[in-house]
Structure formats: structure tokens, C-alpha cells
Amino acid sequence: MATELSPARPSLLQRLWAFYDSDLIWSFRHSPMAILSAALLAIVAFTSLFAAWLMPQNPFDITQLYLDKANLPPIWIEGGQMPYLLGTDLQGRDILSAIVYGSRISLIIGVASVALSMTIGVLVGLMAGYVGGALDNFLMRIGDAVMSIPTLLVAILISAIFRGMLPVDYRDAAAPLILVVALSLTSWVVYARMIRAATMVEAGKEYVLAARIIKVPRRRIILHHILPNVLTAALVTATLNLGLAVLAEATLSFLGVGMPSAQPSLGTLIRIGNQFFFSGTWWIVLFPALQLTLIILAVNLLGDWLRDALNPKLK
Amino acid sequence: MVAWRSAALAAVLAGGLVAPANAGTLRWAPQRDIVSMDPYSFGDTFTLSVLNHVYEGLVRYDDKLKIEPALAESWEVVNPTTWRFHLRKGVKYHDGADFTADDVLASLKRVSDPTSPLRGNVPSYVSSNKVDDYTVDIVVTENYPLLLNDLTNIHIFDQGWLVANKAEAPTDVAKGVEGYATSHANGTGPFKFISRKPDAETVFEVNPDWWDKRKHNVDRIVMTPITSAATRVAALISGEIDFTNQAPLQDIPRLEASSDLKVLSNSELRTIFFVMNQTPKAFESDVTDKNPLQDIKVRQALYHAIDADAIQKVVMAGLSRTTGSLVSPAIPGYVPELDKRLSYDPELAKKLLAEAGYPDGFSFSFLCRNTEFVNEEQICQAVSAMWARIGLRPNLNLGPTTIQDAKFDAGQFDVGTLGWANEPMIDSYSILVQVVHSKTGNAGVFNWGGWKDAEIDALIDKAGATVDRDERLAMQAKALLRANELSMFIPVHQQPMAWATGANIESVLQLSDNKPRHWLTRMTE
Amino acid sequence: MLLLIIKRMANAIFVILAVSLLAFTIFKFLGDPVQLMLNPQATQQERDQLTERLGLNDPVPVQFAKFVFNAARGEFGMSYRNQMPVMEVIAQRFPATFELVLVSSVMALLIGLPLGVFAAIRGGTVMARVFHLISMIGVSVPAFVIGILLILVFSIELKWLPAFGRGKVVDLGFWTTGFLTPSGRAALVMPSISLALFQISFIMRLVTAEMLEVLRTDFIRFAKARGLKARAIYFRHGLRNCMMPVVTMTGMLIGDLIAFTLVTEIVFQWPGMGFLFVQSVQYVDIPVMAAYLMIVCCIFITINLIVDLIYVVVDPRVDQLVRGGGNGH
């Protein structure tokens, strides 16, 4: 998708127009689902970023939680109180604030784990694909091993191991980091395999051979010549995997091995709320569940659209 | 919703979906499973109460929690250290073996073994001797007043069965020896053990040859633990279970609204309180050179910061009994003066902290379980918030009971929760000797805070060797008052117990010890 | 070809060793077995004895070798929590999980395949778009959310289906089955739906993509030109030619289903291995965790191996594509 540079650099306006008029954006403008999804994610991202100013409460600050405000229903139901639009939980935590802060955690963990796993995967794939031989074999066998254990299982074990190693004081604080590492260590293989295959193809092409002949260093060939050509595919996969990562984080938190209840992510909120689901306080479960589903759906739709847009063959 | 389709789908799905129970089968869903089939494996009140359906002790509590004969028909005190028990004749074990004195000796030997996790339940036991096949002498420390109470929960094994299955010694997981008694059982009780899958299903069947008169009409008990509160409620409402001894508090209004269901709730014997570690240095705190909790002003500040009424109203759904006493009013040794709480006063709490030299508070580890006491997790979260508001920085650490208790025992905490029901003794001597007394010999096993107060120790020791009940209880009350004066602990409440029964249950007996006794349960015919 | 099979086997063994290493790591890092096994009042001498007996004083590689050797014989020691041999505990739970996974995978294939074909041959129509969106929702709604909602509607409100457990099971001695009783079958309905939903959608999307690919190939065009009936083309030629990736997927699907039983079994209190595993994580019951990991991975690896071998037998040329893991056309 590299735009060709003409000798005279186009003005900013021209470049913006060119961007707006590009295939990708054209396709975006003509896909209502993509627009809807992007809008939804934009709202989620915006509210997450400015949560501290937009929300009536910081749900992670326990001094702001009061028991006399506990179990309030949403505002449109009798007994609801301002400013708790979507009601409160058993600790007096505002559900709307908790959802917004929880989405932020879910998204940060999702994006960070996808970024980390892509980085690991791309590096491994490039090395395996370009260097080949024993290194390739070794790296790919490790990949096989990782792939032959269900992701969820490994993620649980890794997070359990890390939690076991950390002193209590840091466990809660380190929980997001642990989740990112656990999710990345289990999902880099997809990227590695893809990049490896692409690298092998690229490495056989003439421009690489030429670069080798004129003794361009190996690192430079990999980073400057091969990487740009295989990155698009990795980015598409990353978008498609973001939904899975958010889902995986939520699942771990639901099972009680993810985010702690003092800093609830969406999965944690659902776990907590599930305890009281049938006692009438349905709002503690339902709103976070809805938000979680919408985020994953939007990410998936966007990834789906991006793949189709960049791969016209499948249209 | 979807009413128009319901008829069709119901027809398709019909055929015993929510089938009525077989007559006489009691489907029981506790929150968690029992620990083992071996009554000497773990001093867990719930496990013991379930196993009591299969095994029995020499004596038992009646429906007013008074001691009555069970496997022993009568007893007398021979001298200050010796009790003589006359055993019931004609009692048979489920496998047909006769109950004799040898069984009592083998059981007492097993329970008092140095590796027995339950040996704290017979703190005064010295030895036992067979007089004849149906007479046993039990030797205890001098003038020990509570032997009968202890014996209510020492279940009696069959000696022949223990020997045949190499289970004479307590199970020792460490040795990798699978205890036969862990997954098998042979008692004399009203129900026979049939099968068990840990965490999934345990089945009991009525023992037609029980020595006692059968007052129940339960033929079979199927116990399936359901951890999730929501699922437990769903199962009750949809009629898949008949009984739970742990109805979630927040669901009680909904359960009561359902015409088929009955809720039995009351406050139980167990008092929930906070313990504060008294080691010279704090365990995990930003105060590293000393332990703020050793200062009575700090302990009082923690106490004044707690809004016990809010906890009672919101977290416990109005069903707990807020208390200032470490023992429930139903426990001998309780006196009304014990029940005065320090006021809820965050400002005073802040002032006390400042006076103690911590105007900006300090951090500390706060250890709680998430599966043990009623809504313990929520209590701890709420109290964390209250403490945070006076400037303290508690680090809440939640986990399953077995994991957390190991940390308590190793002193790896600053503040934590403890609940004490004084079972099976049902006497305040229990909490005094196990929780308040300094750690010496068999005493102070649960003195996790490491308290050592000479005055209290002396009172408890003296009570443990006093036969006169009133005199003894006066000493115990004095010891409890002294503990309050020192703010050794922060009592919260006597926790509620809530059972729920389905349409098939006519009556169950609920006593304040929170133990289901299905040999007294009636089901609708 | 024999060489290839041997190579695959060697790979599988390498992978199993790697997994054993992970399982062994849990033992090393998750908690001190001595502390977890002894009662807290134990003396230092008892601790030392146990450390010696458990072989914890051996060099780490020796410990690992012992672990692998024991694992190969199905020896995982005693469950700390249940005080029973681990294999016995797991064997009790296996049938529950197996039946759930079986029903779910059958459901996923029987529903996912036809829907996928349908969406592909109706490509572009409104119906196909709706299907596409539904499948998108299917892969986006978390299984636990589905489970909770199913319980709310069908157990609490309508009281049609049981909210927990397996119902009445028939004990065949070596196996307990819920298939033979009405309540057992009813209990299977909601858990298997909530477990299968993701896979139904996933298979549907995969089949659609593959079908579209195949339908574009020349030989389908020829077939059309030869005047073959549309249905015959789609099902006999189209579907058959996209079966290979589907076979691969089915292999992975069963593995994923086993993994996701963790969630379903928690929501529905299903007495299977996943439930056991989550509880053993909470209770730090390390032997059970290690054994579960090893067993699930062995199942997973065996399935992959079988899929690989089927592939090799059916079409030796596509070897490289299989290893690429999926549809790398």
C-alpha cells in the first residue's frame, strides 16, 4: 500500500485528498458496517481516554466507594439516583464508570498483547525465514509446541506462574502486565508462521539477491527490504486477532485469573455481577456484557473489512 | 417471553427435564464440597456436619444443643482425671461389624496421633483404657470440664475396618499414602455412604438398621456442591435441588417470593472478627522499622473506622447481628457488657492515627478468604474502603481458604479475618484457649496475631481446670472483657445462616450451630 | 511417506517434551509442595524428610527426567486437595467433558457446514449478508455471556432446562454417561450450545471462504459449462474440494472445544475436567494442574497428528500447506 512519491512533494492537502481518495478509504466509505464499528470504537477510545473527566467516579479508587450507594438500579428504574446512570454494584461502584474504566483496561491489554505478540512473531518469522536451517527448525518446533497447547490453558498457567512468583504487594499492580505477557506468549506463532513463509518468498526474489551480492548487511536486508513487504499481512492478522485478545482477557478475568476485583476489567465485572445475576441486580452483569460483546464485534467487523479491502481477491 | 413457542418447545423437551424428585431423595447443594470422607482429616465444621450422617460420636447434641447419649449410653466421672463411658450394646456398623470398646480406643488413638489434624479438638486427652467390651475409661488433664463437648464430634471408626484397610493412622498426604478412609466410610450413623466424586456428587442411603428411632423419611441423600451462588439459586428455583445450607443472602427476597421455597435464616454461633498481627515488625508495610498494630491507638483507629451498620444493612442484607463481643450471646461465657462496640467515628480514627504518629496512615497487607465466611470477600472490600478513607492503605489479598489459612498460620499478614463458632465445644473456652491464649503447647493454635498477655493466659488456664460451671464462666467472661479492653480483635458481627428448602421438604431442623441434621428432616410424602 | 510419518511422530514427541517442561515449571514455581502437603505444625525434620522423599534435593534435570518418566506411566502423584491419586480424579471427570465436547463438535459441524455452503453459494444476496453478520456475532459474544443468558431464559424464566450439572447419569463401570437418561440429555443442551456457538460460526466462516475460493476455480466453471446441475456442483465438487482445510479445522476445533470447556463447565457447574482444572488453579493443586495440562495436550497433539496423517495419505503434495496451519493459499 505504499504510495508512490512523485519528484515534487505534494502539498498536505493533496496528500490528504489522495489518502481520502485511496482504495482503502473508498472501500471504508462504502462499508456501513466498517463505519459503524469504527465509530463505536472511537467512542469507546474517547471515553476511555478522558474517563477521569467524563465519569462521575473513579471505580478503582476505593475511597470513592460508599456502601450507602450500593446496589442502586439504573436511573430509569425506581430507586435509581443521579449521577449513577447505569446503577451501582454491591460496593457502591458506579457501573457506567466501571464499564468505561474496564473497557480501557480490556482495550489496553488487548492492543498491548497483540502488539507484543506481533513483534515477537515478526522477529521470529524473519529470523526463521531468512536464516533457515537449524535455527528455522528449532524456532518452528517451539511454535508447534505452543500451538499444540490450547491458548486459554497456557494463558491461565502462565498467569498463575507469574502470580505465584510475585510478592502479594505487586500482584494486583502487575496483573495487566502479566495478562499481556501471558496472551502474547501464546499467540505469536500465527505471525511467525506467516512472516516466515512470506520471508522465504521475498528472500528468493531478485532484489534481495542483488542486495546480498553488493554485501548489504543481513540485518539491513531483513529490516529495510523484507520487513516492509511482509508487514501488511501481519497488520491485517493483528486486527483480526485483537478481537480474540480482548475475548481471551475477558475470559481469563471471568475465570478469576485475570484482573483483580479492585481494578475490574469487563470480564471481572461480569464475574462479580454473575454472583448476583438472579437476585434482581441484573445491571451489574448485563451492561458490561453488552459493552464487551460490542467491542469485540466492532473489532472483528473492522478486521474483517480490512482483510477484504486489502485482499480484493476475496471480495 | 417467547411464549408462543413455549408450548412446542416444551413438548419437544419434555420428559423429566425438571422432573419431580424420587420420593425420599433429598437433593442437597452446598456451596462447596466436604474436604474428605475421613472425619479426622481436617477440622472443618461443615465437613464434620456432613460426615455426622455416617459416623457418630459417643455423645451428641440434641435439638436444643444439650448433650445427650449417642454411642455411649451413660458415663460418670471416676476421679478428676478419669471418665468412664458405658457403651451402647447391639449397635452395628454399616458393614455389619459390632460396635465395641476396641473401636473407641482405636478411634481415640487415631484422632490424638501427633500427625492428626484434628488433635486440637481433644486438647485435654491423655489416654484411654478398655475396662470390658462395653466400658471405656478416658483419662484427661485434671478437672477438665468440657470433655463431653469435645466428644460430640469425635466420630467413632470400626477398629476391624481400620486395620483391614491399613487406615489406623491418620491419612498423611505427605507420605503419598492414599488414606482408605479418605474415600470410603463405615460408620454407625443414620445414613450409609454409597459413592463419592469429589466436587461433583456424594451419595448416602438410609441405614435401615440404625440403633436410634428413625424420625426422618429421607431414603437417599445426593449432595452436589454448586459453587456459583447464582447457579445455586437457579437450581433451587427450577426445582433441581431440594435443599441448600448456603442460600446467598442477596437472593433471599427472591427465594422467599417463590411460593414453593422456604428460607430459614437466623444468626449463627460464628462471630467474624479481624485479627491484627503483633510481630515486632510489620509483615508488609511502608512502616518497616516497627509494627504500628502494636499500638493500641492504631488498633482503636482501625476499629473506629468501621461502619458496622452499613455492613449489616448492605453487605449482609440486614441479616447479621452486629456485635462488639467475640462470642455470640448463645455461647456460655457471654455477658452483655461484651457487646459494646467502639463507635463508628472516622474523625476520631484519624485523630488516633495522628496521635500514634501516623497522620498520613500506612500500608499493610489485609488477608481474606473468598470461599469461607458469608460474603467475606465483600466485607473485606467494604472495610478496605473504610480504612482507605481514614488514610490507611490496605492491600487486600483474597484467596481460597486452604491457601490463605496457611499464610495466616505462617504469620504472613498484617490484618485478616477470622470467624469462630466455638464448635464443637459450644463454650467460650474454645475461642479463649485456641485463639486468645498465647501459643503454648496445645493452646493458642489459632492465635495468629501472636498475642501474649499474662493476665488473660492465667484466667484461661484456671478456667480449664475449674469444674464449677458458673465460676468457670465468670473467669472466661473476664478474659473476654480484657481482650476487648486491649482491642486485641475487632469484632464485626455474628454471621447469618440462611438455608433454603424446596417444595419437597416438609421440615428441617436448623440450630444455631448451622449444621444440617437430615436424620431429623421430613420430606413431603 | 514412511519417512514423513516418522518425522511427524518425532515432532509430536518433541512437542510433548516441551509441554512436560511447562508442566514441570508449574511444580517449580507455583508453590512449595512441602508447604502445601504438610500440615502447618510440621517440624523442620518432617519438612526435610518430605523434601528428600519427593526428590526435591536432586539436581533439576534429574527431577525433570523423573517427572517425564512418571508422567509417561500416568503417575502424577496425589491431588493435594482431594487426597486421591490424580489420575483417578481425572478419570472420574473425563466422561463428562468428553460427552460435552462430542455433542458440541457434532453440532458445530452439522450446523456450521451447511450454513457455510449456503452463505457461499448465495454470495452477495441479503440472506448471505445476514448470515455473515450472524456468524460475526457468533464469534464475538463470549461463551460465558451466552451461558449466563441461556440460564436466565431457559432455567430461571421458562424452567425448561436444568441450570447445572449432568442430570442423572448411568454408570457403566468404566464410564458414566448422560446420554441414556432424559435428564442427562436435557442437561447437555445448554452447555453444548454455549460451547458450540463460537465453533459453529467459525466453521461457517471458514467454509464460506473456502467455497468461494473453490467456486472461482476453473474446474467448477468447466462443470458449469458442461451443464451440470448447480446443486451437484456445489455439493459434489465444491464442498469436496474445500474439505481438506475443514478436516484440519475440525482437528483444531476439538482441541479448542476441550480448552473452552473450562469456561462452559464453570458457568454450568459441569462436573468435568475443565471445572476440575479451574478449581485446582484456585486451590494451587499443582499435581492436578500438571496432569490436566499433559493430558489435554496429548489429546490435542494426537488429534493434530491424525489430521496430518490423513492429509498426507489423501494428498501428499499439500504437505507444506498443512504445516503452515490452515488455509495458506
Side-chain angles (χ1 to χ4, degrees):
Chain A
M1 295 300 110
T3 39
E4 300 209 351
L5 291 179
S6 52
R9 281 181 85 84
S11 72
L12 182 69
L13 205 70
Q14 276 172 314
R15 274 189 290 161
L16 275 178
W17 171 252
F19 178 66
Y20 182 74
D21 201 35
S22 69
D23 288 353
L24 193 64
I25 298 303
W26 189 90
S27 143
F28 181 75
R29 279 187 288 147
H30 288 80
S31 166
M33 277 302 167
I35 295 175
L36 216 64
S37 307
L40 187 99
L41 287 177
I43 294 173
V44 172
F46 177 81
T47 48
S48 302
L49 271 177
F50 299 102
W53 293 276
L54 293 171
M55 290 300 128
Q57 189 191 65
N58 175 358
F60 297 170
D61 175 6
I62 52 173
T63 60
Q64 295 187 20
L65 309 183
Y66 288 90
L67 280 182
D68 55 352
K69 299 287 182 221
N71 286 331
L72 295 177
I75 193 78
W76 60 88
I77 292 174
E78 203 188 319
Q81 276 180 29
M82 281 304 278
Y84 309 105
L85 291 177
L86 298 183
T88 58
D89 74 356
L90 188 74
Q91 298 293 324
R93 190 180 280 122
D94 176 40
I95 296 293
L96 181 63
S97 311
I99 287 177
V100 169
Y101 277 77
S103 308
R104 180 163 80 181
I105 289 211
S106 298
L107 275 181
I108 289 176
I109 292 175
V111 170
S113 72
V114 165
L116 184 59
S117 62
M118 189 173 85
T119 312
I120 301 174
V122 167
L123 287 179
V124 170
L126 284 173
M127 280 201 288
Y130 193 80
V131 179
L135 180 70
D136 177 27
N137 212 351
F138 176 70
L139 291 174
M140 286 301 109
R141 287 302 80 76
I142 292 184
D144 286 351
V146 173
M147 284 296 267
S148 36
I149 320 175
T151 317
L152 191 60
L153 193 53
V154 196
I156 290 178
L157 288 175
I158 292 179
S159 99
I161 290 173
F162 276 116
R163 287 153 76 87
M165 285 160 63
L166 280 176
V168 180
D169 251 9
Y170 306 107
R171 235 176 251 170
D172 280 8
L177 198 65
I178 293 174
L179 281 169
V180 168
V181 172
L183 292 176
S184 310
L185 286 182
T186 50
S187 53
W188 56 271
V189 186
V190 185
Y191 303 96
R193 284 183 177 172
M194 197 175 62
I195 295 292
R196 171 179 169 271
T199 307
M200 284 176 154
V201 174
E202 289 295 322
K205 284 192 179 161
E206 282 173 8
Y207 74 97
V208 176
L209 292 177
R212 271 166 127 169
I213 290 169
I214 59 168
K215 299 236 159 49
V216 177
R218 184 192 269 179
R219 182 185 303 170
R220 196 175 159 79
I221 296 182
I222 295 181
L223 291 183
H224 288 245
H225 297 277
I226 297 181
L227 182 60
N229 286 307
V230 297
L231 206 55
T232 315
L235 284 172
V236 172
T237 311
T239 322
L240 288 167
N241 276 356
L242 180 58
L244 286 177
V246 173
L247 183 60
E249 184 278 324
T251 306
L252 289 180
S253 295
F254 176 77
L255 291 177
V257 289
M259 292 301 296
S261 43
Q263 301 154 260
S265 73
L266 292 172
T268 321
L269 284 174
I270 298 170
R271 175 173 65 85
I272 299 170
N274 187 29
Q275 296 284 325
F276 317 111
F277 193 40
F278 305 128
S279 29
T281 51
W282 47 269
W283 54 90
I284 307 176
V285 176
L286 219 57
F287 295 124
L290 196 66
Q291 169 90 340
L292 177 63
T293 308
L294 282 178
I295 290 180
I296 299 174
L297 186 62
V299 170
N300 281 345
L301 285 170
L302 213 56
D304 210 38
W305 159 79
L306 189 66
R307 188 194 53 200
D308 289 352
L310 293 178
N311 189 0
K313 194 178 69 164
L314 285 175
K315 282 229 84 167
Chain B
M1 63 179 80
V2 235
W4 56 276
R5 279 202 315 200
S6 62
L9 234 164
V12 175
L13 298 170
L17 291 189
V18 181
N22 303 333
T25 294
L26 177 83
R27 296 161 304 168
W28 173 6
Q31 183 188 357
R32 64 175 172 90
D33 201 6
I34 54 176
V35 179
S36 160
M37 284 308 297
D38 183 347
Y40 301 172
S41 65
F42 196 72
D44 168 42
T45 303
F46 171 65
T47 301
L48 287 174
S49 77
V50 173
L51 294 180
N52 209 174
H53 290 78
V54 177
Y55 289 105
E56 294 169 295
L58 291 177
V59 293
R60 67 183 181 191
Y61 288 114
D62 66 8
D63 56 9
K64 295 187 180 56
L65 290 179
K66 296 268 173 294
I67 287 167
E68 68 174 10
L71 291 181
E73 275 181 323
S74 63
W75 51 87
E76 70 250 1
V77 182
V78 180
N79 62 48
T81 58
T82 311
W83 292 60
R84 176 160 296 171
F85 290 86
H86 303 281
L87 307 183
R88 193 177 294 277
K89 290 176 184 147
V91 175
K92 284 199 185 303
Y93 282 91
H94 297 153
D95 68 352
D98 286 316
F99 163 69
T100 64
D102 290 327
D103 301 327
V104 179
L105 296 194
S107 300
L108 287 170
K109 182 160 176 285
R110 192 172 189 268
V111 75
S112 60
D113 191 279
T115 63
S116 160
L118 211 72
R119 70 182 192 284
N121 279 15
V122 277
S124 64
Y125 175 80
V126 176
S127 64
S128 49
N129 309 300
K130 176 176 166 179
V131 179
D132 61 50
D133 268 357
Y134 292 97
T135 313
V136 173
D137 279 351
I138 298 181
V139 181
V140 291
T141 52
E142 198 169 326
N143 283 334
Y144 180 67
L146 292 158
L147 177 65
L148 291 176
N149 305 50
D150 290 343
L151 289 177
T152 54
N153 273 263
I154 303 304
H155 296 164
I156 304 299
F157 282 98
D158 175 30
Q159 187 229 5
W161 183 80
L162 287 178
V163 172
N165 297 302
K166 300 190 177 60
E168 302 113 292
T171 311
D172 187 356
V173 202
K175 288 196 179 111
V177 186
E178 182 194 352
Y180 186 79
T182 305
S183 43
H184 301 79
N186 179 34
T188 56
F191 290 90
K192 288 194 272 196
F193 168 67
I194 301 296
S195 69
R196 169 166 164 79
K197 286 183 209 131
D199 289 323
E201 189 186 76
T202 307
V203 181
F204 305 99
E205 230 169 58
V206 68
N207 170 16
D209 305 320
W210 192 33
W211 57 270
D212 199 4
K213 189 169 162 281
R214 176 175 170 177
K215 290 181 182 151
H216 66 94
N217 61 349
V218 178
D219 292 334
R220 201 177 164 84
I221 299 175
V222 179
M223 197 177 81
T224 37
I226 305 182
T227 333
S228 148
T231 314
R232 214 155 57 243
V233 171
L236 258 178
I237 292 177
S238 61
E240 291 164 72
I241 58 170
D242 305 311
F243 174 75
T244 179
N245 55 316
Q246 276 136 323
L249 297 188
Q250 59 277 2
D251 290 303
I252 287 177
R254 181 173 177 122
L255 294 175
E256 278 175 337
S258 170
S259 58
D260 293 345
L261 305 177
K262 266 192 299 244
V263 176
L264 293 96
S265 63
N266 212 328
S267 72
E268 69 153 306
L269 296 177
R270 189 176 299 275
T271 304
I272 307 296
F273 50 93
F274 295 111
V275 290
M276 292 164 281
N277 206 344
Q278 295 299 306
T279 45
K281 280 183 188 166
F283 171 61
E284 268 182 337
S285 171
D286 45 15
V287 178
T288 49
D289 55 337
K290 52 184 170 176
N291 184 352
L293 297 170
Q294 282 188 321
D295 189 332
I296 187 166
K297 283 190 173 147
V298 173
R299 296 197 298 272
Q300 285 171 344
L302 261 65
Y303 200 148
H304 280 295
I306 293 176
D307 184 356
D309 289 335
I311 294 175
Q312 198 265 355
K313 243 191 309 212
V314 180
V315 182
M316 308 308 282
L319 291 166
S320 62
R321 178 185 180 279
T322 302
T323 189
S325 163
L326 288 172
V327 296
S328 133
I331 298 284
Y334 169 90
V335 284
E337 299 100 282
L338 282 169
D339 231 338
K340 274 194 225 93
R341 284 188 65 84
L342 295 189
S343 58
Y344 166 55
D345 190 344
E347 287 314 311
L348 179 60
K350 275 186 210 161
K351 213 177 113 214
L352 284 166
L353 273 186
E355 280 171 22
Y358 308 100
D360 303 319
F362 55 91
S363 76
F364 59 89
S365 76
F366 182 24
L367 199 57
C368 291
R369 305 157 202 79
N370 54 14
T371 47
E372 189 65 24
F373 306 128
V374 178
N375 289 349
E376 185 179 0
E377 184 170 345
Q378 287 84 358
I379 295 171
C380 290
Q381 284 167 345
V383 169
S384 289
M386 292 167 186
W387 282 336
R389 277 197 284 273
I390 62 164
L392 295 166
R393 292 178 293 283
N395 284 317
L396 181 56
N397 176 359
L398 286 158
T401 310
T402 40
I403 305 294
Q404 303 303 77
D405 280 2
K407 291 177 192 156
F408 273 121
D409 211 83
Q412 295 163 352
F413 74 103
D414 291 306
V415 180
T417 44
L418 179 57
W420 204 263
N422 298 288
E423 284 174 44
M425 218 180 251
I426 314 202
D427 189 287
S428 57
Y429 183 71
S430 164
I431 188 171
L432 286 170
V433 74
Q434 298 222 53
V435 182
V436 186
H437 195 288
S438 63
K439 285 190 190 185
T440 35
N442 270 346
V445 176
F446 290 87
N447 184 352
W448 286 333
W451 277 98
K452 196 172 174 64
D453 181 76
E455 192 184 327
I456 285 190
D457 281 5
L459 280 167
I460 299 170
D461 290 342
K462 218 168 141 205
T466 303
V467 180
D468 183 87
R469 190 166 184 271
D470 293 339
E471 204 183 318
R472 178 171 66 81
L473 291 182
M475 281 185 259
Q476 289 173 198
K478 215 169 147 196
L480 287 168
L481 280 167
R482 167 103 183 128
N484 274 7
E485 250 167 60
L486 295 172
S487 292
M488 286 167 88
F489 307 94
I490 305 175
V492 182
H493 54 234
Q494 271 87 43
Q495 75 175 10
M497 55 181 166
W499 298 1
T501 58
N504 295 327
I505 306 289
E506 202 175 281
S507 68
V508 289
L509 176 70
Q510 186 188 43
L511 300 178
S512 54
D513 65 357
N514 199 14
K515 290 182 170 184
R517 291 172 167 82
H518 288 310
W519 57 90
L520 298 170
T521 294
R522 300 289 303 178
M523 302 187 68
T524 42
E525 301 280 342
Chain C
M1 188 153 120
L2 188 67
L3 190 71
L4 203 71
I5 292 173
I6 292 173
K7 215 173 125 193
R8 289 274 188 278
M9 296 289 229
N11 272 345
I13 289 171
F14 173 85
V15 169
I16 289 179
L17 280 178
V19 172
S20 322
L21 192 62
L22 180 64
F24 179 69
T25 319
I26 326 176
F27 270 98
K28 293 267 83 177
F29 287 109
L30 214 50
D32 178 4
V34 175
Q35 200 194 338
L36 288 165
M37 286 166 86
L38 280 181
N39 75 46
Q41 276 88 34
T43 63
Q44 190 55 44
Q45 194 196 357
E46 285 175 283
R47 283 172 209 277
D48 293 344
Q49 277 174 0
L50 181 63
T51 311
E52 188 59 41
R53 200 161 48 218
L54 291 174
L56 294 175
N57 293 331
D58 295 343
V60 173
V62 175
Q63 289 184 39
F64 179 57
K66 276 188 186 163
F67 173 78
V68 173
F69 182 68
N70 284 334
R73 293 182 305 159
E75 271 290 332
F76 289 98
M78 301 271 284
S79 153
Y80 299 159
R81 183 158 128 76
N82 294 319
Q83 307 187 6
M84 282 166 73
V86 170
M87 283 314 280
E88 204 176 295
V89 179
I90 290 189
Q92 279 181 348
R93 304 303 193 88
F94 183 75
T97 299
F98 181 85
E99 291 188 349
L100 181 58
V101 169
L102 183 73
V103 173
S104 291
S105 30
V106 169
M107 210 184 261
L109 286 173
L110 284 187
I111 302 175
L113 273 179
L115 286 184
V117 174
F118 180 80
I121 59 185
R122 291 288 157 82
T125 64
V126 176
M127 251 329 236
R129 274 164 188 269
V130 170
F131 270 50
H132 184 75
L133 189 65
I134 291 176
S135 73
M136 209 64 203
I137 295 173
V139 293
S140 300
V141 189
F144 50 90
V145 171
I146 303 268
I148 294 170
L149 291 178
L150 285 175
I151 293 179
L152 178 70
V153 174
F154 293 101
S155 299
I156 299 278
E157 294 300 331
L158 299 174
K159 304 191 183 184
W160 288 352
L161 292 167
F164 83 103
R166 290 181 81 187
K168 207 171 163 58
V169 293
V170 176
D171 196 342
L172 306 174
F174 63 100
W175 191 268
T176 53
T177 179
F179 289 141
L180 299 178
T181 62
S183 73
R185 288 192 292 268
L188 264 165
V189 177
M190 293 200 298
S192 48
I193 289 179
S194 84
L195 183 57
L197 200 71
F198 182 90
Q199 303 297 343
I200 292 175
S201 315
F202 198 66
I203 290 193
M204 180 180 157
R205 294 166 58 76
L206 181 83
V207 171
T208 309
E210 289 297 327
M211 272 297 270
L212 286 174
E213 193 94 335
V214 173
L215 290 182
R216 261 195 294 273
T217 55
D218 289 341
F219 95 94
I220 294 282
R221 290 196 195 135
F222 282 133
K224 272 188 179 164
R226 271 169 52 207
L228 286 177
K229 278 225 171 66
R231 178 161 306 180
I233 295 173
Y234 293 136
F235 281 90
R236 198 173 305 157
H237 299 284
L239 190 57
R240 198 171 66 190
N241 277 284
C242 71
M243 268 333 268
M244 280 339 265
V246 173
V247 169
T248 316
M249 272 297 137
T250 311
M252 290 179 71
L253 159 103
I254 294 175
D256 279 352
L257 283 176
I258 294 175
F260 268 93
T261 52
L262 292 182
V263 181
T264 315
E265 290 186 3
I266 287 294
V267 174
F268 291 97
Q269 304 276 305
W270 190 261
M273 298 195 298
F275 190 48
L276 177 72
F277 176 73
V278 174
Q279 286 203 319
S280 61
V281 170
Q282 271 154 13
Y283 284 90
V284 204
D285 195 344
I286 301 171
V288 175
M289 291 165 69
Y292 177 83
L293 176 68
M294 294 294 293
I295 289 168
V296 167
C297 290
C298 284
I299 296 175
F300 212 93
I301 289 163
T302 314
I303 293 172
N304 280 350
L305 193 66
I306 294 171
V307 169
D308 275 13
L309 293 180
I310 292 178
Y311 240 103
V312 171
V313 170
V314 172
D315 186 0
R317 287 169 306 150
V318 288
D319 174 36
Q320 281 313 310
L321 291 179
V322 189
R323 285 253 65 88
N327 46 343
H329 299 277

